[in-house]
Amino acid sequence: MTGLDVPLTPLRFLERAVEIMPDKIAIIDGQRQWSYREFAAAVQALAKALRATGISDGERVAYLASNSAEMLIAHYAVPLARGVLVTVNTRLSAAEVEYICGHSGARMIVGEIELLRSLRDAGCEFATIDDWIELPAVDGLFTVPSEFHSYDAFLTRGRGGDLRWEIDDETRTLAINYTSGTTGRPKGVMYSHRGAYLSALGGIHHSGFGQETKYLWTLPMFHCNGWCTTWAVTGALGTHVCLRAVRAESMWSLIDEHQISHLNGAPTVLTMLANAEQAHLLTAPLTITNGGAPPSPSIIAAIRGLGASIVHVYGLTETYGPYSICEPKPEWNELDTEHHAELMARQGVGMITANRLRVVRPVLSPEGELIDVAADGAEMGEIVMCGNSVMKGYYGDEDGTRKATEGGWFHSGDLGVMHPDGYVQLLDRAKDVVISGGENISTIEVEHAILSHPEILEAAVVGVPDDKWGERPKAFVVTASGAQLHETEVIAHVKSRLASFKAPRSVEFVNELPKTSTGKIRKNELRDAEWSSRPLMING
């Protein structure tokens, strides 16, 4: 930095909000509310307590909590203390939490009582952790007697005047977010203050956040720091409405009560909203930013039918969450519903705060540079990204960082095509493509064809062993309540929309699909069960 440059940090968003609208409601968590003035005071109290406990200059603080006011406060307080926030997936096993805390070297773990107890009961050893802090329940109360330090008691450790809402170096690590680890040990993805600031601005612009925004927390804050929306809503001077458990009834209740204007989520959240008993035509504008997996054209059409609008984004943990957006074009509004939904299901172009999105071939040029695929919507390649919206690197893993950023671009492992209009479409994860008799079959394409059936709610397609073809596609399907479908009907429906060789050879009807905490279907579990010939217990 030179001259009058000031390091970028999302901490500034909260300072600015207090300057402009100190008395506006910033957070709603059940019956509890915080104004922006109270929000900032709570952040200062926690940051000073952290400093008094020795958290500063890159020390890591782990949080194991659902979407709560205290979790949101931590997104400002930990970096304000110059610590590093490590938000942990609440659905992980005790052993996985133990690994993440150990790998990150967390000095403290803050969490909800049931989650902390599960770690203690499992006999986990946390060599680096000095303090266990219990967060209050949704009503603000604690268990009595507590096995851990209470959050309120911890706050009394803080002393002195307020800390300055600034940072000395915008490349400082603000947070470490761990990947799902479905193909091995999870990796710790490092976010910088600069990257979080810019990614939050991208969210403000593309999701259309403003002063009237009432944002419902359907997306876990522990996932990519809520796609940086923890900072974006504050930057827009909006209101955070916390939701600790994502259920259709709760979502619709809060949407109606607070006239929710925005929420984020994976396609499974859209499916839950559209097919809930409480579903009805919206009385106020609602923008849903969808990511995590490509939405099917049919669910996009269903959400639009409720009166909501869809913002479709694409990204990974390594890209602060959303990196690209399917930027709608005015002429698309003249198209029929099905064609419009097909275009909106694409992953699109780089966001305003990101670089362009590329699709490249597996071989480098003679000069050692990446080569783009033809923009014909047919040639498949790997999606790569670079710039401020890409991670600093993997914590404690230089080799992994080097491999992931070969050629100066982050390699996503996702396969897609580039359309003539410059929009990217994701076809599959490299590991999910089914190669049957030498033909590449996109499981996403097959899933979208299945989901176009009016009586099917969810679908997952994976490759399973086949003596003749090597592997073949198999579909796992969740039907609407009361639907009576046969395997042959589903296969015939797919063949009416796609080439016959792409259709699943078998269909298994299940009550639910295994999912991550953010609503992504765990295809690895389905695939592993088939290849190991183990029965998959998803009906019980």
Side-chain angles (χ1 to χ4, degrees), residues 434 436 439-443 445-447 449-450 461-464 466 469 471-475 487-507:
V434 178
S436 185
E439 295 282 359
N440 289 344
I441 300 173
S442 164
T443 61
E445 183 181 27
V446 181
E447 287 161 2
I450 294 172
V461 174
V462 299
V464 299
D466 185 90
W469 304 108
E471 61 177 345
R472 57 180 173 79
K474 176 179 179 177
E487 176 183 61
T488 55
E489 294 177 79
V490 177
I491 295 172
H493 178 74
V494 173
K495 287 183 176 180
S496 72
R497 304 178 71 88
L498 300 176
S500 292
F501 77 88
K502 297 181 179 181
R505 312 292 172 84
S506 59
V507 177

Side-chain angles (χ1 to χ4, degrees), residues 194-214:
R194 176 184 177 84
Y197 179 96
L198 292 172
S199 293
L201 288 183
I204 291 172
H205 174 75
H206 291 293
S207 289
F209 296 152
Q211 294 182 12
E212 302 304 314
T213 290
K214 289 187 177 178

Side-chain angles (χ1 to χ4, degrees), residues 219-364:
L219 182 75
M221 293 184 194
F222 62 66
H223 178 58
C224 306
N225 304 117
W227 296 351
C228 295
T229 311
T230 45
W231 302 298
V233 171
T234 302
L237 303 172
T239 298
H240 300 263
V241 180
C242 298
L243 177 62
R244 299 190 179 217
V246 177
R247 299 186 180 92
E249 182 179 1
S250 301
M251 285 192 289
W252 275 109
S253 175
L254 290 171
I255 287 170
D256 291 337
E257 178 184 356
H258 298 291
Q259 294 293 283
I260 295 297
S261 63
H262 294 81
L263 61 87
N264 294 350
T268 186
V269 174
L270 276 61
T271 300
M272 192 183 302
L273 280 172
N275 293 283
E277 291 182 10
Q278 301 81 10
H280 57 77
L281 193 63
L282 292 160
T283 58
L286 173 63
T287 298
I288 302 177
T289 301
N290 172 90
S296 68
S298 56
I299 192 59
I300 290 177
I303 289 295
R304 291 186 73 204
L306 294 174
S309 57
I310 295 280
V311 175
H312 180 208
V313 296
Y314 160 77
L316 302 92
T317 303
E318 288 88 343
T319 60
Y320 295 76
Y323 181 95
S324 72
I325 179 171
C326 189
E327 193 84 56
K329 298 182 179 181
E331 56 267 30
W332 294 358
N333 292 326
E334 306 302 319
L335 302 173
D336 61 72
T337 299
E338 184 173 357
H339 192 189
H340 183 278
E342 287 175 356
L343 292 177
M344 283 300 299
R346 299 184 299 175
Q347 283 58 49
V349 296
M351 294 173 71
I352 193 169
T353 48
N355 282 32
R356 67 191 180 97
L357 199 60
R358 294 178 68 186
V359 183
V360 300
R361 293 172 176 166
V363 294
L364 300 176

Side-chain angles (χ1 to χ4, degrees), residues 422-441:
Y423 280 50
V424 170
Q425 181 178 0
L426 174 66
L427 295 184
D428 234 328
R429 291 289 293 172
K431 62 180 180 293
D432 289 338
V433 170
V434 178
I435 304 175
S436 185
E439 295 282 359
N440 289 344
I441 300 173

Side-chain angles (χ1 to χ4, degrees), residues 99-248:
Y99 171 79
I100 288 172
C101 290
H103 183 269
S104 65
R107 284 275 310 278
M108 176 186 301
I109 185 165
V110 185
E112 294 165 8
I113 186 67
E114 297 84 1
L115 300 173
L116 296 183
R117 279 178 179 161
S118 68
L119 299 180
R120 282 279 174 88
D121 293 345
C124 294
E125 296 182 4
F126 296 90
T128 63
I129 289 179
D130 300 320
D131 277 298
W132 294 60
I133 312 297
E134 175 199 341
L135 290 172
V138 68
D139 57 6
L141 301 178
F142 299 89
T143 57
V144 181
S146 177
E147 305 157 50
F148 311 100
H149 300 299
S150 78
Y151 183 76
D152 285 353
F154 176 73
L155 294 179
T156 63
R157 300 183 190 183
R159 295 288 186 275
D162 284 353
L163 303 175
R164 296 175 66 87
W165 302 92
E166 59 187 35
I167 199 73
D168 59 335
D169 181 357
E170 63 184 27
T171 66
R172 266 184 179 269
T173 302
L174 178 153
I176 300 176
N177 292 288
Y178 280 80
T179 60
S180 60
T182 56
T183 57
R185 286 290 196 182
K187 295 181 173 65
V189 178
M190 295 184 288
Y191 288 5
S192 70
H193 282 256
R194 176 184 177 84
Y197 179 96
L198 292 172
S199 293
L201 288 183
I204 291 172
H205 174 75
H206 291 293
S207 289
F209 296 152
Q211 294 182 12
E212 302 304 314
T213 290
K214 289 187 177 178
Y215 177 82
L216 181 62
W217 272 104
T218 50
L219 182 75
M221 293 184 194
F222 62 66
H223 178 58
C224 306
N225 304 117
W227 296 351
C228 295
T229 311
T230 45
W231 302 298
V233 171
T234 302
L237 303 172
T239 298
H240 300 263
V241 180
C242 298
L243 177 62
R244 299 190 179 217
V246 177
R247 299 186 180 92

